[in-house]
Amino acid sequence: MAITHSTVSLRGFHFEAAHLTFTLTAGITAADRGKAVSFGAAANTVKLAADGETIIGRLETVEDRKVEGQLIGTVALQFSNTLPIKAGEVVAAGDTVVGAGAGEVKKAAAADHSKNFVAQVIGSEAIVVKV
């Protein structure tokens, strides 16, 4: 579905007050921007959302502070933007999504719009609203 100036879309809304800095788990790179993240094992740490995990946010930036030995990034805890759908998964408007591994998403077993909801699907990306 093409997006035109006369089409309503919720893609690309940012809530700057809900962007926070987290420590990222090893292996995350700039190529992972725009993927789903979940809480990591250590305090103030996030990782790419694994299979079935609750999504806490969308990775917005990645900064490798090699000199300091830190990998940090900005996570949008509230957003209305795209998340990649895992190949072979079927996601539709109105669904709630969870992690599917590697920061991709899939349909949750049960919808819970207090966590998030899919507003639209465009190809292999879901426009997810998390507020």
Side-chain angles (χ1 to χ4, degrees), residues 1-130:
M1 177 169 128
I3 296 180
T4 65
H5 68 282
S6 62
T7 301
V8 174
S9 177
L10 298 179
R11 180 181 189 176
F13 285 88
H14 304 278
F15 305 94
E16 299 298 326
H19 285 203
L20 298 176
T21 302
F22 286 86
T23 300
L24 306 177
T25 56
I28 292 178
T29 68
D32 294 315
R33 288 181 306 193
K35 292 185 177 179
V37 294
S38 58
F39 198 76
N44 303 319
T45 301
V46 296
K47 61 181 180 172
L48 296 178
D51 189 35
E53 289 186 330
T54 299
I55 296 165
I56 67 159
R58 180 179 188 268
L59 185 60
E60 298 294 325
T61 65
V62 175
E63 184 178 342
D64 191 350
R65 296 183 178 179
K66 293 178 185 175
V67 174
E68 299 172 4
Q70 290 184 320
L71 181 62
I72 63 169
T74 301
V75 174
L77 299 177
Q78 295 178 329
F79 60 90
S80 181
N81 215 331
T82 58
L83 290 176
I85 301 169
K86 183 174 181 162
E89 295 291 338
V90 177
V91 174
D95 289 344
T96 294
V97 291
V98 295
E104 296 176 316
V105 299
K106 66 180 183 179
K107 180 180 177 177
D112 182 352
H113 294 166
S114 68
K115 292 182 179 178
N116 66 61
F117 68 90
V118 175
Q120 182 181 9
V121 175
I122 303 173
S124 62
E125 295 184 311
I127 296 177
V128 177
V129 177
K130 184 177 184 324

